[in-house]
Structure formats: C-alpha cells, structure tokens
Amino acid sequence: GEVVTRFPPEPNGYLHIGHAKAAIVDFEYAKKYDGKFILRFDDTNPENAKHEFYKAQKEDLKWLGITWDDEYNTSDNLNKHYDLAEQLIKQGDAYVCKCSSEAFKEHRSKGTECDCRNNSPDENKSLWNEMQSTLNNASLKLKGDMKSVNTAMRDPTLFRVINKRHPIQNDRYRVWPTYDFAGAVEDSLSGVTHPFRTKEYELRDEVYFKLLDLLNLRKPHLLEFARLSIGGMPVSKRKIKPLIDNGTV
C-alpha cells in the first residue's frame, strides 16, 4: 500500500504502442503492490498541447483496461514551480541566460561558461521577473558543471519563454518548465515512490537528483526500462502525427 507510480503523457498527440507499454508497466506495478497509480498530464509545452489529446489519451488508457486513482495537470502547479525556481535563484544555483541557443550550444560543446553565469542572485531575480512580462530571448539554467563528462549536467535549461496560448491555462503563463525540472519536482511533490522512465533519459538522472537535493525535496526511487521499437514502423508521436493528419493511417 506504499508504492505510488505515475504515467505522465504529454497531451501533444495520440498514444502509441510505446506509451501502452509504459502505462501498463506503471499501472501493473502499483496494482501488484496494492499501491496508488497517478495519471499526470505533463502539459508544460503549449506549442503542441491540445484539448483533444487529453481526452483521446484517457479514452485509450481505459481501452487498455487501465484505471487511475488520481489525475491532474502539471500546468495547474506552475505557481509552485515558480516559487521553487526563485528558491534556486536566491541560493545562487540557477541563473538567467540571454545567450542564443547556438552560442550556448557552443559553450556546452567546449565546456566553457558564458558571461551570464556571473550574474548576482539579485540580477537573476530581476531578469526572471522580466521573463514573466517582456523578456523573450532568455532561459533559466541550472548552475551545474560545464566541465562534467555527463553533458546533461552542463547547465541544463530549467525554464524557457513560450509565447503560445495554452489549451487549459490560456494566456496566464509565458514561462514554462522543461521536462528536467517539472518531472523531478512533480514526482517528488505528488508522492510518487517509483517513477519509471525510458532508457534514453538515463544520463538525465543526475540532473533529476541534483535538483531535488538543491530544493531539499524527497527523492523517489528512479527506474529505467527500454524503449519499445518495431522494425519498419515509426513508434514516435512526432512521426505518427503527420501520418494521421494526412490520412495515411
């Protein structure tokens, strides 16, 4: 009765067989241990999120025989995410970067620090406030280790500006957390004990636990399983959506 798992789809497309595998693993582990299973819509990128996908994904999960004990949207918790971002800024563990994505990619590749990294916490707080209103070409980054052999730790982006209307939050927010930030924070705050992620996120585990350490949040027992691939068949929302849109499938 103490195991808590979650299935966190992004409502930006229709579920495919890879999601089915992930959802069943999450659901069956909770069921096996008489625990709790949470459906969490990770809707922190308004670019592709649509109302129809929240509904379609729930219908498909029910078709698979999956039921859930709790359901919520990550976007509903953005104010809490902002509080935690400001905590990191105040502690000197995060900074606002105004470098172009190309310039920062170069820094990351070479393992060098950009000038923005030297901002004071007060300067970062002021720039963070500007991001909420007028500043567009900026992001909040974790002060990681630009020399780390794990390139995921080279100052990953935590928040970015996306000027797009959200299907649920409308125009309430313009600064949105990345998967690195939202995933770690939501797993901890929602009481998840055993979050499952696919193998391609394994390098990002260090970022996950670093964030929880810096924020003094509870650390779940993170587990990985393999991605599901089928030879000759696309298993990716990004590749499947155009096939659906143009009537191929």
Side-chain angles (χ1 to χ4, degrees):
E2 295 180 1
V3 170
V4 181
T5 65
R6 88 293 186 261
F7 178 58
E10 192 176 343
N12 64 351
Y14 303 103
L15 298 185
H16 52 65
I17 197 166
H19 293 107
K21 174 188 173 179
I24 288 168
V25 167
D26 295 327
F27 172 64
E28 289 294 338
Y29 264 93
K31 189 172 156 188
K32 178 178 180 180
Y33 295 103
D34 194 24
K36 180 181 177 183
F37 175 61
I38 299 170
L39 172 60
R40 179 181 88 217
F41 286 106
D42 271 349
D43 55 348
T44 58
N45 184 350
E47 294 245 85
N48 298 311
K50 289 184 180 177
H51 271 297
E52 68 177 285
F53 298 136
Y54 294 83
K55 184 170 180 283
Q57 290 181 2
K58 287 199 283 187
E59 286 175 356
D60 285 350
L61 290 174
K62 289 173 184 172
W63 182 83
L64 287 167
I66 292 174
T67 56
W68 46 95
D69 302 294
D70 198 7
E71 175 192 329
Y72 75 97
N73 306 315
T74 299
S75 67
D76 293 332
N77 293 337
L78 242 58
N79 289 339
K80 177 62 178 174
H81 288 214
Y82 284 0
D83 290 344
L84 293 171
E86 289 174 18
Q87 181 183 328
L88 289 175
I89 292 169
K90 187 177 179 181
Q91 292 170 187
D93 293 318
Y95 65 96
V96 174
C97 180
K98 295 199 285 184
C99 296
S100 68
S101 56
E102 294 78 15
F104 198 82
K105 191 175 179 182
E106 185 78 9
H107 281 295
R108 194 168 272 153
S109 172
K110 293 179 177 177
T112 55
E113 298 178 0
C114 72
D115 292 340
C116 306
R117 216 177 192 268
N118 299 317
N119 295 342
S120 69
D122 285 343
E123 287 173 314
N124 285 318
K125 181 61 165 59
S126 178
L127 288 167
W128 168 254
N129 290 339
E130 283 184 50
M131 284 174 66
Q132 315 294 325
S133 53
T134 56
L135 184 59
N136 287 319
N137 300 316
S139 61
L140 185 72
K141 296 190 185 298
L142 176 70
K143 197 175 278 189
D145 178 3
M146 292 300 284
K147 299 287 187 189
S148 176
V149 292
N150 179 4
T151 53
M153 281 299 293
R154 296 186 184 182
D155 293 14
T157 299
L158 303 181
F159 285 81
R160 72 282 200 219
V161 176
I162 303 176
N163 284 309
K164 185 92 175 179
R165 190 177 182 85
H166 190 276
I168 290 176
Q169 305 301 336
N170 297 315
D171 297 317
R172 188 177 173 193
Y173 303 106
R174 70 195 299 269
V175 178
W176 295 90
T178 59
Y179 177 80
D180 278 329
F181 186 90
V185 164
E186 288 301 324
D187 284 348
S188 182
L189 295 181
S190 65
V192 172
T193 60
H194 294 75
F196 291 87
R197 306 206 293 189
T198 46
K199 211 60 176 157
E200 74 263 31
Y201 291 107
E202 199 167 23
L203 285 177
R204 312 207 72 80
D205 290 359
E206 191 176 351
V207 180
Y208 184 101
F209 290 119
K210 177 73 172 178
L211 275 169
L212 296 180
D213 276 333
L214 292 173
L215 293 167
N216 197 28
L217 294 176
R218 179 191 63 86
K219 288 189 279 191
H221 186 73
L222 195 57
L223 298 154
E224 281 87 22
F225 58 86
R227 266 183 79 107
L228 181 66
S229 297
I230 299 174
M233 180 69 195
V235 183
S236 156
K237 269 189 298 195
R238 180 174 54 83
K239 293 177 181 175
I240 291 171
K241 189 174 181 296
L243 299 178
I244 296 169
D245 289 344
N246 67 26
T248 304
V249 296

